[in-house]
Amino acid sequence: MKKRIVFVGAGALGGYVGGHLTRAGHDVTLIDPWPEHVEAMRKNGIQLSGTTAAERYAVPVNALHLTEVQDFVKQKPVDVAFVAVKSYDTEWATLLIRQYLAPDGFIVSLQNCINEERIAQHVGWGRTVGCIASLIAVELYEPGRVKRTVPMGGDRHTVFRVGEPHGRVTRRVEEVAEILRSVDSSKVTTNLWGERWSKLVVNSMRNGLSAATGLFGNQRDALEGPRWVSIRLGSEAVRVGQALGFHLERMLGMEPEVLARAGEGHQDALTEITNVLREGAKKRSDDQRPSMAQDIAKGRRTETDFINGYVAARGAEIGIPAPTHAKMNDTVRRVERGEVKPSPQLIAGW
């Protein structure tokens, strides 16, 4: 029998992954709180696109409003629930789907940031799995339409990394990794926490910076001032992660120690990381922007407290300062509240 798969959150990432799993023949239900988005998916399917014409699909999907989830009581229990909401919505999303899980059902955090502990608080560690989506860059740009703005990973880059909190390889994470290969390259990791922090490093370099400045990804990495702030953010995040004991992975061509040294002013490391960032910009479309910048453009709440704010807070706990993260978190919050408009001038002189 097919596994029953549910996505709580069918926005950019949930919609993209859930749409492709549906296209591959999996039993998928998409749940989302945005009524117009759900209705668009019901009427026209989910419209998926990428950086090539071959990645364009219109996929009929089973899309539900939040208010319709109660009908699950009459249906087959859920085997795998992907939570793909913003970090600040993690707990209610977990509680929503918890009561409909099969006896051996579990929840996969397919999110930015580090949310496994929030999920485990409500379902237990035995029902909690993590999945990092590395270098996927997707955007829900209008109801029912999701675009990917970087190339497919394939053999070049493993996009999905699925892991157990305890680090052992289990049958269920192997099954999730196999399911996700319908979308892009996937693997099981025994280093969930190191992978999570490594992704957090990358997000902390890009998301808040683009949200605060209004710069798209390629603009951010091409301009010397923003790029230097980005590198310092990455450096501080690496040092906090190392002090916490995480084994950090290579990040989009950047070795953690080299990135840390670059932000500390070592010229050889700075040259290497600068070149990596410039080369990366050649592989993205010019309309690529991180999720936090998308949120600001849409007038939505951001995840800044769970990215830059989180790095600053964890650093403060262990005595490793991350002042650039604290400043970035404060700046994004000011933009979010409407006190200032996004502008590169907000980071001038940092």
Side-chain angles (χ1 to χ4, degrees):
M1 294 179 64
K2 288 182 182 178
K3 298 282 186 184
R4 186 177 186 197
I5 302 169
V6 168
F7 283 78
V8 186
L13 186 55
Y16 183 85
V17 175
H20 276 287
L21 292 186
T22 301
R23 189 175 70 85
H26 293 283
D27 178 5
V28 176
T29 301
L30 303 178
I31 303 165
D32 200 77
W34 186 13
E36 291 83 358
H37 179 44
V38 173
E39 289 304 316
M41 290 190 287
R42 285 177 163 176
K43 183 178 180 181
N44 302 311
I46 191 163
Q47 310 293 310
L48 304 174
S49 59
T51 58
T52 66
E55 296 172 62
R56 188 176 295 275
Y57 304 98
V59 184
V61 291
N62 180 25
L64 297 182
H65 296 285
L66 284 177
T67 54
E68 297 172 314
V69 175
Q70 61 181 314
D71 288 343
F72 279 13
V73 73
K74 308 170 188 175
Q75 302 171 15
K76 179 180 179 289
V78 175
D79 298 300
V80 184
F82 287 92
V83 168
V85 295
K86 297 293 186 181
S87 294
Y88 48 77
D89 287 330
T90 298
E91 290 170 298
W92 71 253
T94 300
L95 288 168
L96 176 74
I97 203 64
R98 177 181 68 176
Q99 59 195 312
Y100 303 113
L101 291 175
D104 60 348
F106 56 93
I107 293 178
V108 182
S109 172
L110 183 65
Q111 302 167 275
N112 279 332
C113 317
I114 301 176
N115 295 302
E116 284 80 1
E117 186 172 3
R118 291 184 185 87
I119 292 171
Q121 284 176 345
H122 298 290
V123 298
W125 285 109
R127 285 178 177 260
T128 304
V129 168
C131 179
I132 294 89
S134 173
L135 191 60
I136 194 165
V138 285
E139 179 174 352
L140 175 64
Y141 60 97
E142 61 182 59
R145 295 179 178 272
V146 178
K147 64 181 177 181
R148 183 170 180 171
T149 52
V150 297
M152 299 287 286
D155 296 334
R156 177 185 58 84
H157 175 79
T158 303
V159 173
F160 299 106
R161 294 104 186 272
V162 187
E164 295 276 9
H166 50 59
R168 296 188 295 276
V169 176
T170 62
R171 178 60 188 150
R172 70 180 186 181
V173 292
E174 291 178 328
E175 288 178 346
V176 172
E178 180 59 33
I179 287 168
L180 289 172
R181 289 189 187 104
S182 301
V183 185
D184 207 329
S185 51
S186 177
K187 72 176 184 179
V188 172
T189 179
T190 57
N191 183 31
L192 175 65
W193 303 115
E195 291 271 18
R196 270 286 182 225
W197 195 273
S198 299
K199 175 67 184 292
L200 184 67
V201 171
V202 174
N203 282 338
S204 75
M205 295 173 66
R206 296 174 164 182
N207 272 278
L209 185 54
S210 285
T213 61
L215 296 173
F216 285 77
N218 289 345
Q219 295 172 313
R220 178 199 61 226
D221 291 346
L223 295 171
E224 184 175 359
R227 187 176 61 241
W228 171 233
V229 172
S230 174
I231 292 170
R232 284 165 50 212
L233 288 165
S235 174
E236 291 178 5
V238 167
R239 291 303 188 212
V240 173
Q242 289 173 333
L244 288 167
F246 297 127
H247 173 70
L248 302 185
E249 304 275 349
R250 184 179 173 88
M251 299 163 285
L252 309 182
M254 298 180 289
E255 292 293 343
E257 185 60 27
V258 177
L259 176 56
R261 292 179 66 252
E264 292 162 353
H266 296 272
Q267 192 57 51
D268 57 336
L270 181 57
T271 299
E272 180 175 334
I273 296 301
T274 297
N275 290 337
V276 169
L277 294 178
R278 283 174 170 165
E279 284 301 309
K282 297 177 182 177
K283 300 170 185 175
R284 296 188 298 256
S285 64
D286 286 336
D287 62 348
Q288 188 276 332
R289 56 183 174 179
S291 58
M292 202 183 296
Q294 297 173 34
D295 292 335
I296 290 295
K298 296 172 183 176
R300 295 186 58 188
R301 180 182 175 184
T302 74
E303 292 180 294
T304 183
D305 288 338
F306 299 86
I307 299 180
N308 296 109
Y310 185 74
V311 174
R314 292 306 307 272
E317 288 173 10
I318 59 174
I320 305 295
T324 315
H325 286 273
K327 192 182 294 187
M328 182 60 69
N329 189 51
D330 179 66
T331 302
V332 174
R333 290 295 303 275
R334 290 171 60 214
V335 173
E336 187 177 53
R337 290 192 297 263
E339 295 173 4
V340 292
K341 291 185 188 250
S343 169
Q345 289 302 310
L346 295 179
I347 62 163
W350 281 26

